[in-house]
């Protein structure tokens, strides 16, 4: 465990109505840690962050913090900054240092207190507040400091709020979903910054790549209790499965004991004698113990796609500009049945424009787009995810109907909603009274019920909790139609996508097979090749004395055996990942979780090594042939 204890909560409890958020919970945060707080939507993560920040108090419990602990948080509600400049918004984070300057101005020179305050300013490099604002703004690449916050994009405003919190140089930095609605470039930059951040950080995130890179510890808030795990997200999943397996084993033994005791009471009329009252008391105490509380997993079924031919959508030499700015230059790509294409790029690059071109809502400036007659689009952009706040859940999904057709299956609206974790007591709740996560699930339910053979999703993982995201990934991987998805979630892109279309500078687009990590490797190799010095013109490159014309027999044989071996290993990886993702994992495989995790880690390492060797031999083969 890193460092000294900065903040501790003992026996803290809090409920809102009948919902228990914290139940005699205990947690400590240590200096130097970067703690990821995870849990289902509505479990109380944001409430707990407010308790740590001191803006909300638990009903019961004891909170202890180190002396003089300074806490800063990244604000979520930015409405009050609409008419404030970027400079003034960031300057709010310097209130502590401004107060020290005020005290020094009024203080008698040479006092011991003066030396103490001057040491604080020196330690935090806060002698010149204006300079500190400039440094922070440059590090975070903020918009011009004189810009009004109300004119900024959502991503830019989030960076300003992050700069405001960082400028305070706090002992404990609180971040609630810092990566939401940011593009991958901005997320990567925040990762780099936090990886080198010298303070302590408690953050809430659903970005699994961000979590894996930044967190030194993962803490889950589940049914009012905290469960801590050091390691990666995969380690966390394995530890959670093992914990739930142990709980279920204990519950099985408890139920077995109760059945035996009930049978004993029924069988023995002497059971009520005084000497047996102790046994009856043990039975009553055991019966009073609550069973483990489990929340079901979302059951997401996408209606079966209609028949698609070999050609789905053909894009040929398309160019398009908006406001004089070229967004797409001479781009060609062919969508085929079964493809799952991830579309990535900075905010404002033109991703939504490309989707509208594909669905023929826009006409390209040049080039052509051909859509096969069998294609039925189901396109839901960000603007279409809005729900009617005055509708109930049942009205929003049912739209006046009692049943819905999911391919060949006909189910009731209530049954369909139960698959998205809306039980009968929630279906009559108005949309404006749902949590952010519940609204995200309703949006998905509304999107996916329409089916279609070409599914287009724009940022589908925003506001979904981790379990729901895993279920969505499984459903999309099994989708038989064509999928195009805009996302900044790298883990999601790697898990789901078979192809990547990436927006690069000046309207140029990369398109190719593979997941997002493969695209990054390709981009890095292209940049490395471009940065390499060109050979001098007057010095011809040396010619090999006797170059071989093909791979050796041993290498040819090795190359032929690599591909089926890689396929076999990848099939086993997918099989284990599916086991971990299954809702009933802890029932069927809980005792095997550690062994499965070790096998999975070994398979991934071996697969990466085989891929590297295959790529080496293929490149050598192509070079020899050319």
């Amino acid at each position: 465990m890193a460092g000294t204890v900065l903040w501790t909560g003992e026996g803290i409890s809090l409920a809102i109505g009948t919902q228990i958020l914290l139940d005699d919970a205990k947690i400590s945060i240590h200096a130097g840690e970067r703690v990821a707080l995870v849990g289902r939507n509505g479990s109380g993560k944001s409430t707990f962050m407010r308790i740590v920040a001191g803006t909300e108090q638990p009903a019961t419990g004891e909170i202890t913090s180190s002396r003089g602990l300074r806490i800063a948080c990244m604000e979520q509600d930015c409405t009050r900054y609409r008419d404030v400049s970027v400079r003034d918004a960031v300057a709010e984070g310097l209130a502590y240092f401004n107060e020290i300057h005020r005290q020094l101005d009024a203080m008698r020179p040479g006092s011991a207190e003066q030396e103490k305050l001057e040491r604080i300013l020196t330690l935090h490099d806060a002698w010149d507040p204006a300079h500190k604002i400039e440094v922070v703004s440059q590090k975070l690449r903020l918009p011009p400091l004189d810009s009004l916050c109300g004119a900024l994009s959502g991503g830019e405003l989030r960076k300003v709020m992050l700069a405001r919190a960082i400028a305070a140089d706090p002992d404990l930095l609180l971040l609630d979903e810092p990566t939401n609605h940011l593009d991958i470039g901005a997320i990567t930059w925040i990762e780099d910054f936090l990886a080198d951040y010298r303070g302590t950080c408690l953050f809430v995130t659903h970005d699994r790549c961000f979590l894996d890179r930044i967190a030194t510890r993962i803490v889950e808030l589940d049914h009012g209790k905290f469960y801590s795990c050091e390691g990666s997200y995969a380690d966390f999943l394995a530890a959670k499965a093992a914990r739930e397996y142990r709980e279920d084993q204990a519950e099985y033994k408890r139920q077995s004991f109760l059945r035996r005791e009930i049978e004993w009471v029924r069988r023995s009329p002497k059971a009520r004698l005084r000497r047996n009252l102790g046994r009856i008391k043990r039975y009553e105490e055991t019966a009073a113990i609550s069973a483990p509380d489990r929340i079901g997993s979302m059951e997401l079924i996408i209606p079966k796609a209609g028949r698609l031919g070999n050609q789905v959508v053909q894009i040929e030499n398309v160019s398009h500009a908006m406001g004089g700015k070229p967004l797409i230059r001479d781009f060609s790509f062919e969508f085929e049945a079964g493809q799952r294409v991830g579309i990535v790029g900075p905010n404002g690059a033109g991703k939504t424009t490309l989707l509208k071109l594909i669905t023929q809502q826009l006409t390209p400036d040049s080039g052509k787009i051909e859509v096969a007659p069998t294609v039925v689009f189901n396109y839901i952009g960000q603007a279409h995810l809005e729900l009617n706040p005055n509708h109930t859940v049942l009205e929003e999904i049912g739209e006046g109907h009692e049943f819905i057709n999911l391919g060949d299956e006909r189910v009731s609206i209530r049954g369909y909603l139960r698959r998205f974790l809306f039980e009968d007591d929630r279906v009559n709740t108005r949309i404006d009274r749902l949590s952010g996560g519940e609204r995200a699930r309703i949006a998905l339910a509304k999107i996916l019920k329409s089916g279609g053979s070409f599914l287009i999703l724009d940022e589908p993982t925003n506001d979904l909790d981790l379990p729901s995201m895993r279920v969505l990934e499984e459903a999309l991987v099994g989708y038989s139609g064509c999928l195009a998805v805009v996302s900044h979630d790298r883990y999601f892109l790697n898990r789901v996508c078979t192809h990547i279309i990436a927006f690069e500078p000046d309207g140029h687009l990369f398109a190719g097979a593979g997941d997002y990590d493969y695209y990054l490797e390709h981009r890095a190799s292209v940049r490395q090749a471009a940065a390499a010095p060109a050979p001098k013109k007057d010095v011809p490159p040396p010619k090999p004395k006797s170059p071989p014309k093909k791979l050796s027999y041993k290498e040819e044989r090795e190359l032929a055996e690599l591909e089926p071996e890689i396929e076999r290993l990848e099939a086993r990886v997918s099989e284990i990942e599916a086991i971990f993702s299954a809702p009933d994992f802890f029932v069927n495989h809980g005792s095997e979780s550690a062994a499965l995790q070790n096998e999975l880690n070994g398979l991934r390492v071996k697969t990466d090594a085989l891929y590297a060797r295959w790529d080496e031999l293929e490149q050598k083969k192509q070079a020899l042939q050319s």
Side-chain angles (χ1 to χ4, degrees):
M1 197 67 76
T4 58
V5 177
L6 293 183
W7 191 95
T8 297
E10 294 268 359
I12 52 179
S13 298
L14 183 66
I16 299 177
T18 59
Q19 184 182 9
I20 297 175
L21 299 180
L22 297 166
D23 182 15
D24 194 29
K26 176 182 178 180
I27 185 174
S28 295
I29 302 170
H30 296 247
E33 284 192 305
R34 296 191 297 269
V35 181
L37 180 62
V38 301
R40 285 191 177 272
N41 288 326
S43 62
K45 300 186 297 297
S46 295
T47 301
F48 174 69
M49 295 280 275
R50 290 194 294 271
I51 290 174
V52 176
T55 58
E56 189 164 335
Q57 296 297 320
T60 61
E62 182 180 352
I63 293 174
T64 307
S65 59
S66 62
R67 188 174 182 179
L69 178 68
R70 292 191 305 111
I71 299 174
C73 58
M74 178 180 173
E75 291 197 19
Q76 298 297 308
D77 184 6
C78 307
T79 53
R80 72 183 183 91
Y81 294 95
R82 186 173 300 278
D83 299 321
V84 177
S85 70
V86 172
R87 186 190 311 276
D88 291 341
V90 177
E92 284 191 7
L94 299 174
Y96 171 72
F97 303 116
N98 290 335
E99 175 61 21
I100 290 179
H101 279 287
R102 189 192 65 76
Q103 293 179 24
L104 284 173
D105 291 340
M107 192 171 289
R108 180 174 55 84
S111 67
E113 183 66 19
Q114 180 190 24
E115 292 182 5
K116 175 185 174 183
L117 295 180
E118 287 178 347
R119 282 198 302 269
I120 292 175
L121 292 180
T122 302
L123 175 65
H124 296 283
D125 191 21
W127 280 102
D128 185 352
H131 174 68
K132 193 171 181 67
I133 292 174
E134 292 284 350
V135 170
V136 172
S137 67
Q138 288 174 10
K139 285 184 177 179
L140 277 167
R141 303 173 190 173
L142 298 185
L145 292 176
D146 294 329
S147 307
L148 286 180
C149 291
L152 304 181
S153 68
E156 290 173 328
L157 192 54
R158 292 184 74 81
K159 288 208 291 186
V160 172
M161 294 299 99
L162 178 61
R164 176 186 173 277
I166 290 171
D169 227 351
D171 303 308
L172 177 56
L173 177 64
L174 306 180
L175 303 175
D176 194 351
E177 291 289 0
T179 64
N180 252 14
H181 305 288
L182 295 183
D183 58 45
I184 293 176
I187 293 171
T188 303
W189 190 92
I190 292 177
E191 282 180 358
D192 293 339
F193 177 84
L194 290 178
D196 296 330
Y197 182 63
R198 67 182 181 182
T200 304
C201 185
L202 172 66
F203 63 94
V204 174
T205 187
H206 294 149
D207 186 323
R208 290 154 291 184
C209 288
F210 183 88
L211 185 153
D212 266 341
R213 184 175 177 200
I214 299 304
T216 58
R217 180 161 63 107
I218 301 173
V219 175
E220 181 184 20
L221 178 54
D222 184 19
H223 292 96
K225 305 286 188 184
F226 292 107
Y227 301 93
S228 179
C229 172
E230 295 189 18
S232 66
Y233 177 64
D235 295 326
F236 158 72
L237 287 179
K240 177 180 174 68
R243 169 172 59 83
E244 292 187 343
Y245 175 76
R246 290 193 300 271
E247 291 174 351
D248 288 341
Q249 287 294 99
E251 174 61 13
Y252 174 78
K253 293 178 181 178
R254 186 180 77 92
Q255 293 293 344
S256 297
F257 169 79
L258 292 177
R259 284 193 297 269
R260 290 196 304 270
E261 293 304 283
I262 289 174
E263 182 62 29
W264 171 76
V265 170
R266 289 173 177 171
R267 186 178 65 249
S268 176
K270 297 180 181 180
R272 291 179 292 276
L273 295 178
R274 183 174 297 276
R275 64 175 178 270
N276 292 318
L277 291 180
R279 186 170 179 177
I280 294 174
K281 184 179 179 181
R282 286 196 303 273
Y283 165 80
E284 291 173 345
E285 290 173 347
T286 305
I289 298 173
S290 299
D293 200 356
R294 296 279 187 266
I295 297 177
S297 295
M298 186 170 70
E299 182 187 357
L300 199 157
I301 299 177
I302 305 175
K304 186 177 180 181
R307 185 184 65 83
L308 287 172
N310 293 331
Q311 179 180 326
V312 179
V313 175
Q314 180 79 34
I315 302 175
E316 293 184 18
N317 307 116
V318 163
S319 296
H320 195 77
M322 293 191 72
K325 177 186 176 182
L327 299 180
I328 301 170
R329 291 181 188 265
D330 196 28
F331 176 58
S332 298
F333 187 76
E334 183 176 346
F335 287 92
E336 298 176 354
Q339 282 183 345
R340 300 187 298 274
V341 182
I343 302 175
V344 301
N347 289 331
K351 299 185 295 294
T352 300
T353 299
L354 176 60
L355 296 181
K356 290 183 177 180
L357 289 168
I358 292 170
T359 54
Q360 300 184 316
Q361 298 177 49
L362 288 176
T363 302
D365 296 339
S366 62
K368 65 177 182 178
I369 299 177
E370 295 181 358
V371 179
T374 55
V375 172
V376 178
F377 289 112
N378 184 1
Y379 170 41
I380 306 295
Q382 290 289 340
H384 295 85
L385 292 177
E386 295 179 1
L387 305 171
N388 189 328
N390 298 317
H391 279 173
T392 66
V393 171
L394 195 64
E395 290 169 341
E396 187 69 14
I397 300 301
E399 299 178 303
H401 303 287
E402 294 185 4
F403 292 89
I404 182 175
N405 293 320
L406 300 177
D408 299 331
E409 185 181 5
R410 188 169 185 261
V411 299
S412 68
I413 297 298
R414 290 178 181 271
Y416 180 66
L417 286 169
R418 277 194 289 273
R419 296 181 176 186
F420 289 84
L421 304 183
F422 287 94
E423 298 296 337
D424 291 343
D425 60 339
R426 294 294 286 169
V427 298
N428 291 318
T429 305
R430 281 179 27 152
I431 298 295
D432 59 357
R433 295 179 183 174
L434 300 178
S435 69
E438 287 176 320
R439 284 195 292 271
R441 293 204 306 271
I442 283 296
L444 268 179
K446 191 171 183 178
I447 293 166
L448 298 176
K449 72 172 186 175
S450 302
S453 57
F454 196 133
L455 186 61
I456 298 178
L457 301 177
D458 196 348
E459 287 291 349
T461 62
N462 276 350
D463 299 315
L464 285 182
D465 55 31
L466 292 175
S468 298
M469 288 166 66
R470 288 165 56 202
V471 173
L472 173 62
E473 289 165 359
E474 289 297 324
L476 293 178
V477 167
Y479 181 58
S480 59
C482 194
L483 170 70
V485 55
V486 173
S487 180
H488 299 310
D489 189 316
R490 294 153 293 174
Y491 194 103
F492 176 87
L493 291 167
N494 284 335
R495 180 75 180 86
V496 170
C497 296
T498 61
H499 294 70
I500 294 291
I501 295 175
F503 281 74
E504 299 190 330
D506 301 322
H508 296 290
L509 274 68
F510 164 87
D515 58 17
Y516 184 72
D517 281 350
Y518 179 80
Y519 159 68
L520 290 182
E521 292 172 6
H522 167 82
R523 186 176 64 175
S525 64
V526 170
R527 290 180 176 178
Q528 185 177 4
K536 295 180 181 180
K537 293 182 179 179
D538 56 344
V539 181
K543 296 181 180 180
K545 295 180 179 179
S546 54
K549 296 182 179 181
K550 64 178 182 177
L551 295 177
S552 68
Y553 172 77
K554 183 178 178 181
E555 289 173 328
E556 285 282 6
R557 184 173 179 180
E558 182 184 2
L559 182 60
E561 293 174 350
L562 277 174
E563 192 166 334
E565 178 64 8
I566 289 172
E567 290 178 355
R568 186 185 68 80
L569 294 179
E570 287 185 329
R572 180 56 180 162
V573 167
S574 298
E575 182 183 344
I576 296 176
E577 288 178 340
I579 290 173
F580 271 118
S581 301
D584 58 352
F585 169 79
F586 57 87
V587 175
N588 295 329
H589 304 281
S591 60
E592 309 168 33
S593 59
L596 286 170
Q597 186 61 53
N598 290 335
E599 183 183 356
L600 182 60
N601 293 339
L603 287 170
R604 285 172 172 164
V605 171
K606 189 172 182 180
T607 303
D608 289 343
L610 292 181
Y611 261 122
R613 179 57 176 161
W614 177 86
D615 188 52
E616 178 186 355
L617 291 175
E618 275 290 334
Q619 289 186 18
K620 182 177 180 180
K621 182 178 179 180
Q622 292 175 11
L624 292 173
Q625 289 175 345
S626 61

